[in-house]
Amino acid sequence: MPSTSLAVERLRAELKGEVITPDDQQYDKARTVFSGAIDRRPAVIARPLDAAEVARVVLIARDTGLPLAIRSGGHGIHCVWDGGIVLDLAALRGLDIDVEGRTAWAEPGLTAGEYTAAVGEHGLATGFGDTGSVGLGGITLGGGVGYLTRKYGLTIDALLAAEVVTADGELLRVDAQSHPDLFWAIRGGGGNFGVVTRFQYRLHPVGAVVGGMLMLPATPEAIAGFVAAAEAAPDELSTIANVMPAPPMPFVPEEMHGQLIIMGLLCYAGDAEAGERAIAPFRALATPIADMVRPIRYPEMYPPEEGEYHPTAVGRSLFVDTVGLDRAETIVEWLRASDAPMRVAQLRVLGGAMARVAADETAFAHRASRIMVNVAAFFTGAEDQAIREAWVDEFAGALRQDDQGIYVNFLGDEGEAGVRAAYPGATWDKLAAVKRRYDPTNLFRLNHNITPA
């Protein structure tokens, strides 16, 4: 019997969860991911109901030799694969909140927005990214940079323990005392070491924040000023500056449509009065086009998203040390020179609590990196894609400085060189040794892959 037929037969026999093949009506929806540029056709999509069923899927993939892709929220570039088994964690949605102990056990089928809303009912939060629809699995395993990074660190800095199904189908509880090498590796090392079926997070007291969107005209002076204000701000304030053409939103004056703007996203996790003081320097940079920054509940930082939004875009991510006036002028020049329907340079000032963790304490090695930059362009069709990719590469090259690192969750398909930049030097060596111990045959290879030492 061919391995695909054998896998489907075994999955249907051994799982109570859904097993979806190309003949099923829901197949096309089940294989669709966030990126509209990805159109892959897996042989079978399995949705296990618990950790024991996850282990069965892993063993079936091992026994049949079919490629195994792991899907949490569907934002990753490797989470579906042609001809392979997709282990879709969508049905693992358990959440157990210990309000007094300020911890929560969460399963990876939950999204960041769902988790944040649930724990937010108790005035608590764990920091994730800036997008509510991502699954907990991918963002946590890669690091987790978002609205609470400067105040409370990365998502992995709030990770207390996890339950992991390894390549041999064993379910391990990992924490600082139990399998500490694996616990170190999953805090930044991605999905290379197993399938996490539960995460235990620390919860922080985060009730109301001063947050929202501040839109400013994007002059070089305003861009450099925004970055300088973010660097000078207290740790309670985390910011994202999206420099881009103004979209035709109802609150944007028509004469501004298509003009370069800074769409600033700000989140001050602290007292409202202090938050207003911290945000004042940003408002003073220019007359705001729109100002929606106000006291809100933290979960409101994740507005509802369009479920059928599947953008086709190319992007590059890098760390830089400074964005002064000269770099800001470069950003404006490159964005003006492109005619992509949407293009952006996104700037995130880091530091704060994230930087106070030693670089070797977790597999996220970029604690000292100062500013994260993402450049991206939307495309329409294959010919246009090649043009946009060349522009994005050259734009990123024009901004590159001494810091050669990359944040793995924003890494595209950039080969081993990209993965090595995400895990430099001693970090790579240690990860490769952990990989050899827990996944010596590289079963978990559909990811930003670390090969066994």
Side-chain angles (χ1 to χ4, degrees):
M1 183 183 286
S3 57
T4 301
S5 305
L6 181 64
V8 171
E9 189 176 289
R10 281 188 59 185
L11 288 166
R12 287 196 166 134
E14 296 182 33
L15 263 61
K16 290 180 180 171
E18 281 185 290
V19 177
I20 302 165
T21 62
D23 301 331
D24 293 314
Q25 195 175 349
Q26 69 267 47
Y27 175 77
D28 280 333
K29 187 172 183 184
R31 72 183 180 88
T32 299
V33 297
F34 176 73
S35 170
I38 294 174
D39 180 23
R40 298 195 187 118
R41 303 187 65 84
V44 58
I45 299 164
R47 289 181 173 158
L49 298 182
D50 55 27
E53 291 199 350
V54 168
R56 289 190 194 111
V57 179
V58 168
L59 291 176
I60 289 167
R62 187 192 69 180
D63 294 348
T64 59
L66 290 178
L68 177 64
I70 314 300
R71 174 172 179 155
S72 178
H75 280 250
I77 65 170
H78 298 104
C79 59
V80 293
W81 208 257
D82 286 326
I85 298 173
V86 172
L87 197 173
D88 187 339
L89 298 161
L92 274 68
R93 298 177 49 79
L95 177 60
D96 183 13
I97 305 166
D98 177 358
V99 176
E100 283 188 18
R102 287 191 181 164
T103 63
W105 278 100
E107 293 186 344
L110 291 169
T111 66
E114 290 165 342
Y115 173 101
T116 300
V119 300
E121 296 291 327
H122 307 285
L124 300 169
T126 303
F128 292 107
D130 58 285
T131 304
S133 60
V134 299
L136 296 188
I139 189 162
T140 300
L141 295 175
V145 179
Y147 293 127
L148 298 177
T149 293
R150 283 165 56 86
K151 172 70 172 172
Y152 291 120
L154 304 173
T155 304
I156 52 173
D157 299 330
L159 189 64
L160 300 171
E163 292 177 358
V164 185
V165 174
T166 58
D168 58 7
E170 193 177 354
L171 180 65
L172 303 179
R173 181 195 159 108
V174 305
D175 55 33
Q177 284 75 44
S178 180
H179 306 283
D181 57 341
L182 183 55
F183 185 55
W184 176 88
I186 65 169
R187 287 178 293 158
N192 276 283
F193 309 96
V195 184
V196 179
T197 56
R198 286 213 304 167
F199 296 94
Q200 187 188 35
Y201 298 108
R202 180 181 291 110
L203 289 165
H204 301 288
V206 184
V209 299
V210 181
M213 192 255 286
L214 177 69
M215 189 182 288
L216 304 167
T219 61
E221 292 77 12
I223 295 166
F226 193 104
V227 171
E231 289 178 319
D235 289 354
E236 285 78 8
L237 183 65
S238 293
T239 64
I240 301 172
N242 294 297
V243 188
M244 57 193 279
M249 292 174 159
F251 53 83
V252 179
E254 200 168 331
E255 64 271 16
M256 287 301 300
H257 291 181
Q259 298 298 309
L260 286 188
I261 52 111
I262 301 170
M263 185 183 284
L265 300 169
L266 298 92
C267 180
Y268 183 92
D271 171 71
E273 200 174 304
E276 293 293 340
R277 285 197 300 274
I279 286 159
F282 297 87
R283 290 179 166 133
L285 291 169
T287 303
I289 300 161
D291 185 350
M292 300 179 180
V293 181
R294 66 199 192 284
I296 56 173
R297 290 177 58 252
Y298 177 65
E300 292 178 65
M301 290 301 299
Y302 295 123
E305 294 178 42
E306 299 170 46
E308 296 309 308
Y309 178 57
H310 299 290
T312 54
V314 291
R316 288 289 178 270
S317 183
L318 63 155
F319 293 115
V320 300
D321 300 315
T322 61
V323 178
L325 194 56
D326 57 339
R327 296 286 171 175
E329 285 170 350
T330 302
I331 289 168
V332 169
E333 285 166 12
W334 277 85
L335 290 172
R336 283 188 178 149
S338 171
D339 62 353
M342 181 53 71
R343 58 227 186 250
V344 62
Q346 182 187 80
L347 312 171
R348 303 178 189 228
V349 169
L350 304 172
M354 167 189 150
R356 288 194 286 273
V357 176
D360 61 357
E361 198 168 308
T362 66
F364 181 95
H366 310 289
R367 298 292 182 168
S369 293
R370 298 173 65 89
I371 302 167
M372 185 157 64
V373 180
N374 297 307
V375 296
F378 285 41
F379 65 84
T380 52
E383 193 176 324
D384 190 43
Q385 181 177 357
I387 294 167
R388 305 309 171 195
E389 282 179 347
W391 178 83
V392 159
D393 283 340
E394 289 175 31
F395 187 8
L399 296 175
R400 194 172 299 284
Q401 297 170 19
D402 292 337
D403 190 332
Q404 298 299 306
I406 300 177
Y407 171 41
V408 75
N409 278 355
F410 289 157
L411 180 61
D413 192 2
E414 294 164 50
E416 187 180 331
V419 184
R420 290 274 188 162
Y423 304 117
T427 302
W428 174 274
D429 296 339
K430 188 172 176 182
L431 285 168
V434 177
K435 178 77 168 178
R436 182 180 60 202
R437 181 173 180 188
Y438 293 96
D439 183 18
T441 65
N442 206 9
L443 177 70
F444 301 112
R445 62 185 178 276
L446 296 185
N447 44 44
H448 294 300
N449 193 234
I450 295 153
T451 47

